[in-house]
Amino acid sequence: MTVTAQPVGPIDYLAVEFPGARLEGKGLAALLDLVERGIIRILDLRVVKVSDTGDVVAVALTDLDDDGELDLAVFEGARSGLLDDDDLAQSARLVAPGDAVGLIVYENTWAGPFVTAMREAGAEVVASGRIPADDVVAALDALESPSAG
């Protein structure tokens, strides 16, 4: 079966800054859980460090924190071709020298069957977007404040 014949959910990306290039592996359990439960599928996972002089160096997805354990070996080779060297360079410009940035491109697999069902019914997704989490938290906080009621 080709990829286009499968139900495909929306594709998103995240760029995550690691100050001081401290890659401690925290959050990996949550990422693995999402993958194992079929909520997301990792299409690309890359990490680059920005040297103090501004040079960009790709990091192998193995032992990121130098503790002797393979942190991201399960995602080694996760390269769909959606991320290229220009994307890595652009993401590296988002962080300060001495920091690292992790890039994740993932499919929201939970949405694939819904999108397929809608297309089969003649509907098409005409827009999608993302509301920044900070904006949502601020709006919810505003609703809960005594002056909002």
Side-chain angles (χ1 to χ4, degrees):
M1 185 182 297
T2 65
V3 171
T4 55
Q6 298 176 12
V8 176
I11 308 297
D12 288 321
Y13 73 93
L14 291 173
V16 180
E17 179 181 16
F18 295 94
R22 288 184 312 277
L23 304 167
E24 299 174 1
K26 294 180 180 173
L28 289 178
L31 185 63
L32 285 170
D33 180 59
L34 291 169
V35 170
E36 289 172 355
R37 290 190 297 143
I39 295 171
I40 65 169
R41 177 172 59 128
I42 302 297
L43 301 174
D44 284 291
L45 181 58
R46 308 278 301 274
V47 176
V48 294
K49 289 184 180 180
V50 181
S51 75
D52 290 332
T53 61
D55 294 325
V56 178
V57 179
V59 176
L61 297 180
T62 53
D63 183 12
L64 296 178
D65 56 7
D66 295 323
D67 68 355
E69 296 180 26
L70 299 179
D71 302 316
L72 295 175
V74 68
F75 296 120
E76 192 170 14
R79 292 195 182 172
S80 68
L82 294 172
L83 283 179
D84 61 21
D85 290 340
D86 287 340
D87 296 316
L88 297 177
Q90 287 179 24
S91 296
R93 287 193 289 270
L94 298 172
V95 302
D99 292 347
V101 62
L103 298 169
I104 302 172
V105 176
Y106 60 97
E107 174 192 358
N108 290 283
T109 51
W110 62 268
F114 170 72
V115 171
T116 298
M118 292 294 94
R119 285 188 177 140
E120 289 172 356
E124 286 292 329
V125 175
V126 294
S128 68
R130 182 73 30 111
I131 301 170
D134 290 342
D135 292 353
V136 173
V137 170
L140 293 174
D141 286 347
L143 287 174
E144 293 177 3
S145 73
S147 62

